[in-house]
Amino acid sequence: MAGRRLLDPAAPALERCVAAEDPKSAVRVFVAARHDVVSGVLCEEAVFSLRHYDDLLEQVLPGTRYLVGENDAARQVRLRQLHTAQGWLDAERGKATTQGEPNMAPGFRSWVAAMAREEAAAILNVLRRRASTGEPVNFVRDYAFLIAWRMARRIIGVPAPDAVPGMVRLMVFARNVMRPGPALRLKDELGDAAAMLLMQQALFGHVFGTVVNSKGWMRWLARKTATPALDAIDAALALPEVAPHDSLVSALAAVKPQFAGVEDYDLQARSVLFELTGALVLIVGKSLSEMAAFACSPEGARAGIGWDRLVSLLADPGASQQAHDATINEALRLTGGSRLTRTVRSDGPWRGVDLQAGDRVVVLIDAASRDPAAFPDPGRFAPDPARPYITSGPLQGPHLCYGRGIAWTILREAIAATQGRIAPVGNAQMALFAGLPDDLPFIASRRQI
């Protein structure tokens, strides 16, 4: 409701949201929704801090940090690790691809795309067998989260933990009791994908879903489920020769001698691997599922983007990479739903609103992505590289999304690969469990086009 009110050009830049405040805390909460205001909050680092995310991580995983955090010396080390590791990978492949923005160079994205096509084809070849049996394909579990996990395994190089945490087993049991249809099994790669997803889910909820304070049970659950994932990363860093040669684990091990003065190199590298693994498994799988669900829905039809058209646009070999990115971002814009939080650094006015140090500002990406001032006819699907997308956070400044090129590439290839292979059943609707996509019924084609 606040988001709708704030889209009025005459509305103030921010509106206080008492309903989001914690009665036990003196922290005030404000909401931002207009596109220009949201962009300002995300990019004006001198006014708005990201320490909120650092503090939340410290509560459950001391020492672990995300790149989505304060731009301090440790974060600069992590960025240098990423850039240096990517340079090593480029040299190993014999291609200079790191010119320009990280992870956006054509050569690097072509490498990711080739892997994504290979993984998508392998999964779809297995799913093709269901064409003769009539068994439905669960797009979410059988495809979206599976390809996200496979790509994380290849690009990052971190294997699934040897043992599935007890809390993850309990979560799967609860899901199987509460959801109809085939049970989710913690075996084979589908089980690995589900386990890694569930080990990240509570932590992402704690860090990115918390405005002031999260519940004690949420912190406990995040600690219990995420710690084994960190242990698996420590094991991978200790034995990098087990990881794929062209993975980030191998690269970070290879470039470690270049960081002789960094005493906590492994700790910072662990944070890098943990963040990127979680982002690929959870965010890419979730986004792929949500894009498919939107394109299958009546809302998608009203917006002018059905599943067949989305697949056709992304499978078009004549379209440029910029056109494909615009299609992905337009689909993400229309699915919406995300929000980010910033903390005010010091007392003072900002765009006519008096703020105090410690105030939280919640930016509503979904509202900003449908702001008529930035997107004429905001409910219509109209991809355009010139549009001011903020679907994956700011696309400029020190906190632009590092992995956006990887994510956009995987999303494009995963959707394009389905052409003639799988398609949604009539009136397909996505089911959720614990706030995440759980089921979206598709059918396999008897013949490949």
Side-chain angles (χ1 to χ4, degrees):
M1 292 173 61
R4 288 195 295 270
R5 288 195 298 270
L6 289 171
L7 287 182
D8 186 335
L14 305 174
E15 178 180 299
R16 188 170 177 184
C17 185
V18 177
E21 296 176 0
D22 185 343
K24 300 178 182 179
S25 170
V27 173
R28 302 186 304 170
V29 176
F30 292 82
V31 174
R34 284 207 314 269
H35 192 279
D36 64 308
V37 176
V38 166
S39 297
V41 173
L42 293 177
C43 297
E44 294 181 29
E45 194 173 6
V47 179
F48 301 101
S49 163
L50 285 90
R51 76 167 190 265
H52 177 60
Y53 298 132
D54 293 344
D55 293 344
L56 289 167
L57 275 168
E58 186 66 20
Q59 288 178 7
V60 296
L61 301 173
T64 303
R65 293 292 182 270
Y66 287 153
L67 287 171
V68 182
E70 283 291 76
N71 198 22
D72 55 16
R75 181 176 183 271
Q76 290 303 310
V77 169
R78 295 194 295 278
L79 283 172
R80 285 198 296 118
Q81 287 176 324
L82 275 169
H83 296 170
T84 308
Q86 188 171 336
W88 182 87
L89 289 170
D90 293 340
E92 288 294 298
R93 296 196 310 273
K95 297 179 180 180
T97 64
T98 54
Q99 294 87 352
E101 295 183 65
N103 279 343
M104 294 297 285
F108 181 80
R109 295 189 65 182
S110 295
W111 175 65
V112 172
M115 282 193 291
R117 285 192 293 271
E118 181 180 322
E119 296 297 347
I123 296 171
L124 291 166
N125 285 341
V126 173
L127 295 177
R128 183 171 56 184
R129 302 170 190 169
R130 300 189 187 179
S132 59
T133 65
E135 182 185 358
V137 171
N138 180 345
F139 183 91
V140 175
R141 298 290 179 181
D142 295 336
Y143 190 65
F145 282 125
L146 180 55
I147 194 171
W149 158 245
R150 284 190 169 189
M151 290 302 294
R153 176 72 181 93
R154 290 187 64 170
I155 295 173
I156 311 302
V158 177
D162 293 333
V164 178
M167 284 306 304
V168 169
R169 292 186 180 278
L170 185 60
M171 292 163 71
V172 170
F173 175 78
R175 181 265 178 198
N176 290 338
V177 169
M178 299 173 66
R179 291 281 306 132
L184 180 61
R185 306 294 184 188
L186 290 173
K187 63 179 183 179
D188 304 325
E189 280 195 300
L190 282 174
D192 289 343
M196 188 59 76
L197 172 67
L198 292 172
M199 282 190 282
Q200 301 281 347
Q201 182 181 0
L203 182 68
F204 268 69
H206 166 66
V207 174
F208 296 105
T210 298
V211 178
V212 180
N213 294 308
S214 70
K215 302 293 185 182
W217 66 264
M218 174 66 83
R219 294 194 292 272
W220 177 83
L221 184 60
R223 188 180 303 111
K224 286 290 186 180
T225 53
T227 299
L230 281 172
D231 293 341
I233 291 172
D234 287 338
L237 283 171
L239 293 171
E241 60 273 13
V242 176
H245 177 69
D246 54 0
S247 67
L248 191 56
V249 167
S250 297
L252 286 169
V255 303
K256 185 175 181 178
Q258 300 181 41
F259 292 78
V262 179
E263 295 182 357
D264 61 348
Y265 180 89
D266 286 347
L267 176 64
Q268 301 304 330
R270 182 177 77 162
S271 289
V272 167
L273 296 169
F274 185 59
E275 177 177 6
L276 293 182
T277 298
L280 280 176
V281 172
L282 193 152
I283 296 176
V284 171
K286 178 175 181 288
S287 297
L288 180 54
S289 300
E290 291 174 341
M291 289 168 62
F294 182 81
C296 298
S297 70
E299 185 183 3
R302 290 191 295 270
I305 180 62
W307 175 254
D308 289 342
R309 186 187 177 202
L310 179 63
V311 172
S312 178
L313 287 171
L314 294 174
D316 181 3
S320 66
Q321 189 173 79
Q322 289 76 18
H324 286 147
D325 287 349
T327 297
I328 292 292
N329 278 324
E330 183 72 347
L332 292 172
R333 180 184 74 83
L334 290 169
T335 58
S338 63
R339 70 184 192 187
L340 299 170
T341 302
R342 296 292 187 267
T343 300
V344 177
R345 292 187 184 276
S346 56
D347 296 354
W350 187 79
R351 300 200 182 195
V353 180
D354 289 328
L355 297 176
Q356 299 172 6
D359 285 347
R360 302 282 195 273
V361 178
V362 179
V363 297
L364 304 179
I365 302 297
D366 54 343
S369 294
R370 291 175 180 260
D371 184 351
F375 302 98
D377 197 4
R380 293 292 297 176
F381 178 83
D384 183 350
R387 281 194 153 187
Y389 295 112
I390 53 174
T391 52
S392 54
L395 297 185
Q396 63 281 325
H399 287 283
L400 57 82
C401 178
Y402 181 88
R404 67 199 191 285
I406 297 175
W408 295 345
T409 304
I410 295 173
L411 291 171
R412 182 252 166 168
E413 297 296 339
I415 294 173
T418 66
Q419 190 171 47
R421 308 295 299 274
I422 57 174
V425 303
N427 301 316
Q429 293 184 344
M430 187 165 70
L432 304 178
F433 179 76
L436 280 182
D438 185 71
D439 186 20
L440 181 64
F442 270 51
I443 55 173
S445 174
R446 290 182 178 274
R447 62 189 181 90
Q448 180 178 347
I449 299 175

